[in-house]
C-alpha cells in the first residue's frame, strides 16, 4: 500500500484509488467495470462495504430530483464510517493489492445488504445524536378542544403501545394531556398478533431490541406475554392504583369514551422502518447514555423516519399456535375478571393473521433502501412528518 499523497505503484491499488475518487465525485460505476487510476489519498483504502454503500447512495442521488444534496461531506463520512456489530470487518477490494493476511478480498457488488446496513446505521446514528431531542412535546395540530369543564374527561391510556401513544399524542396536541381528577384508565388492545408486532416495533423506536423472530422466541420460551400487552394484569394494576378502568377492544367506541368525535388511526411503521430503527438504536446506545437514547429514538427518529409501503412485522406460522393459545387464555381471563370490557373479549384472538412479511434477505434489501433514502434526502432532519 502506498503512502498518503504518493504515486501508487501497484496497478490494482491505483485502480482502487481511482474508483474511490470516482465515487467521491458522485459516480456509480460498479467496481469490476472500473478501469481508471488515481494516486493514493491515504495510507489505507476504504472498505468494500463503505465503497459499495456510497455507490448505492450515488445511484439514489442520480434518480433524485434534487441532486444538490450529493455533497463530498456525506461521501467522506460514509467512506470513514465504521461498520458496527458482529459482521465482517472492513473488506478489501477484489483485484486491488492482495493483503498478506486478514479477510479475503471481495467484489463489492456481491456483498449482502446486511453489510451495507451496518455502515449506513453508523452514519445515521451520528446524525440522530447531532439533531438532539429538541421539543419532545406533541405539537398542536388543528383547533384546540375547548370543552366545558363539566364535559372534560380525564384519561389515562395503557396497553398496546402504538395505540396508546397515538391517543396521547393526538389529545395532548389539542390541549388535553393525560391525567386529571377522576381520570379513567383505558387499557387498549386488539388481536394478539397485532399487539405483539406493536410492542416489538415500539421497542425498536425506544431503546432497541433483539430481532423480531428472536424476540418472539424469548417470550414463547418464557410462557409469558410482554407486560405492556398483558391486558388482565394491566387492568388489575390500574384498578388498584386509580380505580375506574375500561378494557377497550373496539376502536370504534374509543372516541366516545374520550369525549371526542374521532381519533386518527395509529401509525404503524413497516418492518423495514422498525428494523432500521432497531439498528440505529444499537449504535446510538454506544454514543449517549440510555435515557438520552430513549428520548432520541422516540422523539427524534420516530417522528422523522419516512413512511414506506412495507407492511409491519407478522407472526410466522411456527409461532401461531402459541399466540392463539395465549390469546384464548387472555380472553377467558378478561371475561372472568369482571372489568368493563368495551367490545368482545374474544377480539384478542387472531382470526385473520397479519400478512406474512418478506424473507430475511428480501427484508434486508428494503431496510437498506430506506437507509439510503434517509442518507440521500436530508429533509428528514428538518421537520417531523
Amino acid at each position: 500500500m502506498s503512502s498518503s499523497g504518493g504515486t501508487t505503484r501497484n496497478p490494482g491499488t491505483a485502480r482502487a484509488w481511482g474508483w474511490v475518487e470516482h465515487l467521491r465525485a458522485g459516480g456509480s460505476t460498479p467496481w469490476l467495470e472500473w478501469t481508471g487510476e488515481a494516486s493514493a489519498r491515504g495510507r489505507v483504502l476504504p472498505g468494500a462495504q463503505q465503497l459499495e454503500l456510497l455507490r448505492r447512495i450515488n445511484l439514489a442521488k442520480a434518480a433524485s430530483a434534487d441532486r444538490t444534496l450529493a455533497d463530498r461531506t456525506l461521501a467522506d463520512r460514509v467512506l470513514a464510517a465504521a461498520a458496527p456489530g458482529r459482521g465482517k470487518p472492513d473488506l478489501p477490494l477484489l483485484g486491488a493489492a492482495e493483503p498478506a493476511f486478514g479477510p479475503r478480498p471481495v467484489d463489492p457488488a456481491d456483498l449482502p445488504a446486511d453489510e451495507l446496513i451496518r455502515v449506513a446505521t453508523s452514519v445515521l446514528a451520528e446524525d440522530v445524536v447531532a439533531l438532539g431531542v429538541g421539543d419532545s412535546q406533541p405539537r398542536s395540530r388543528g383547533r384546540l378542544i375547548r370543552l366545558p369543564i363539566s364535559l372534560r374527561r380525564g384519561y389515562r391510556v395503557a396497553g398496546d403501545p402504538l395505540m396508546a401513544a397515538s391517543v396521547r399524542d393526538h389529545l395532548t396536541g389539542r390541549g388535553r394531556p393525560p391525567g386529571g381528577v377522576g381520570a379513567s384508565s383505558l387499557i387498549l388492545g386488539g388481536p394478539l398478533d397485532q399487539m405483539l408486532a406493536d410492542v416489538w416495533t415500539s421497542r425498536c423506536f425506544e431503546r432497541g431490541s433483539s430481532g423480531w423472530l428472536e424476540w418472539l422466541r424469548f417470550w414463547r420460551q418464557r410462557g409469558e406475554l410482554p407486560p405492556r400487552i398483558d391486558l388482565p394484569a394491566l387492568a388489575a394494576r390500574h384498578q388498584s392504583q386509580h380505580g375506574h378502568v375500561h378494557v377497550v377492544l373496539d376502536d370504534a367506541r374509543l372516541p366516545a369514551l374520550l369525549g371526542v368525535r374521532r381519533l386518527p388511526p395509529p401509525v404503524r411503521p413497516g418492518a423495514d422502518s422498525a428494523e432500521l430503527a432497531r439498528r440505529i438504536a444499537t449504535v446510538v446506545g454506544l454514543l449517549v447514555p440510555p435515557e438520552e437514547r430513549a428520548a432520541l429514538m422516540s422523539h427524534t427518529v420516530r417522528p422523522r423516519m419516512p413512511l414506506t409501503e412495507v407492511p409491519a412485522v407478522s407472526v410466522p406460522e411456527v409461532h401461531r399456535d402459541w399466540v392463539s393459545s395465549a390469546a384464548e387464555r387472555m380472553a377467558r381471563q378478561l371475561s372472568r375478571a369482571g372489568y368493563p370490557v368495551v367490545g368482545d373479549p374474544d377480539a384478542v384472538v387472531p382470526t385473520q393473521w397479519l400478512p406474512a412479511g418478506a424473507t430475511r434477505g428480501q427484508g434486508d434489501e428494503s431496510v437498506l433502501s430506506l437507509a439510503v433514502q434517509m442518507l440521500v434526502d436530508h429533509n428528514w432532519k428538518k421537520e417531523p412528518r
Side-chain angles (χ1 to χ4, degrees):
M1 197 73 66
S2 64
S3 61
S4 175
T7 301
T8 306
R9 297 178 181 178
N10 187 298
T13 306
R15 175 171 161 250
W17 281 112
W19 195 50
V20 172
E21 289 306 300
H22 170 69
L23 297 178
R24 289 184 72 245
S28 58
T29 302
W31 165 239
L32 292 188
E33 298 178 17
W34 177 253
T35 58
E37 296 184 355
S39 296
R41 289 180 52 87
R43 294 180 60 251
V44 180
L45 281 162
Q49 300 103 310
Q50 288 84 352
L51 292 164
E52 180 61 16
L53 175 62
L54 180 54
R55 192 182 76 84
R56 300 281 191 105
I57 290 171
N58 291 342
L59 283 170
K61 289 173 181 174
S64 174
D66 183 0
R67 302 188 187 185
T68 62
L69 299 176
D71 54 39
R72 291 289 184 95
T73 300
L74 174 60
D76 289 340
R77 289 182 63 209
V78 169
L79 294 178
R86 293 178 292 177
K88 301 173 184 175
D90 290 352
L91 300 174
L93 293 172
L94 181 68
E98 297 292 335
F101 58 89
R104 296 182 60 181
V106 297
D107 174 8
D110 292 337
L111 288 171
D114 179 70
E115 286 295 323
L116 309 186
I117 295 169
R118 291 170 58 223
V119 179
T121 53
S122 180
V123 179
L124 289 170
E126 292 176 352
D127 288 338
V128 169
V129 173
L131 278 170
V133 177
D135 182 6
S136 62
Q137 297 301 317
R139 296 187 178 187
S140 174
R141 297 174 182 174
R143 184 170 58 86
L144 294 179
I145 298 172
R146 299 296 185 186
L147 294 175
I149 294 178
S150 61
L151 297 180
R152 295 178 189 173
R153 302 181 185 180
Y155 69 94
R156 296 181 184 89
V157 285
D160 184 295
L162 292 186
M163 296 174 64
S166 179
V167 170
R168 278 194 300 269
D169 291 350
H170 179 75
L171 293 183
T172 299
R174 284 155 177 77
R176 289 185 59 192
V181 178
S184 297
S185 293
L186 306 178
I187 312 300
L188 311 183
L192 185 53
D193 63 327
Q194 180 72 77
M195 290 196 289
L196 285 165
D198 287 352
V199 171
W200 180 78
T201 298
S202 292
R203 282 184 57 90
C204 292
F205 282 94
E206 293 168 353
R207 57 189 181 276
S209 174
S210 54
W212 167 237
L213 298 182
E214 181 183 353
W215 184 82
L216 279 178
R217 284 194 296 268
F218 170 82
W219 289 106
R220 180 175 185 172
Q221 290 168 359
R222 290 188 56 150
E224 300 176 5
L225 292 173
R228 285 195 279 186
I229 55 171
D230 187 343
L231 304 186
L234 279 172
R237 184 164 68 251
H238 275 261
Q239 187 173 61
S240 66
Q241 293 176 348
H242 307 296
H244 200 45
V245 64
H246 284 87
V247 178
V248 184
L249 301 177
D250 184 348
D251 294 351
R253 296 167 67 180
L254 181 57
L257 293 170
L258 291 164
V260 298
R261 292 183 178 179
R262 59 177 298 276
L263 291 166
V267 176
R268 289 190 162 96
D272 56 344
S273 301
E275 177 64 13
L276 181 57
R278 182 181 80 85
R279 293 177 180 230
I280 291 173
T282 299
V283 185
V284 170
L286 302 175
L287 304 176
V288 299
E291 62 277 6
E292 187 176 346
R293 172 175 67 173
L296 285 168
M297 295 304 300
S298 297
H299 303 306
T300 300
V301 176
R302 184 175 169 185
R304 287 177 164 85
M305 184 171 283
L307 298 177
T308 71
E309 299 297 322
V310 176
V313 293
S314 58
V315 174
E317 191 168 351
V318 68
H319 291 300
R320 290 184 179 180
D321 287 345
W322 163 65
V323 173
S324 292
S325 297
E328 291 166 0
R329 183 166 57 251
M330 183 185 294
R332 290 193 298 270
Q333 291 172 337
L334 290 173
S335 297
R336 295 169 181 170
Y339 304 116
V341 177
V342 180
D344 185 350
D346 284 335
V348 300
V349 181
T351 55
Q352 293 183 335
W353 295 88
L354 296 175
T359 63
R360 171 67 178 169
Q362 293 170 328
D364 282 349
E365 286 294 340
S366 65
V367 174
L368 176 59
S369 177
L370 177 58
V372 168
Q373 177 186 347
M374 292 179 69
L375 289 169
V376 170
D377 184 2
H378 288 192
N379 286 330
W380 72 273
K381 298 181 185 179
K382 298 176 182 178
E383 292 290 340
R385 62 172 182 269

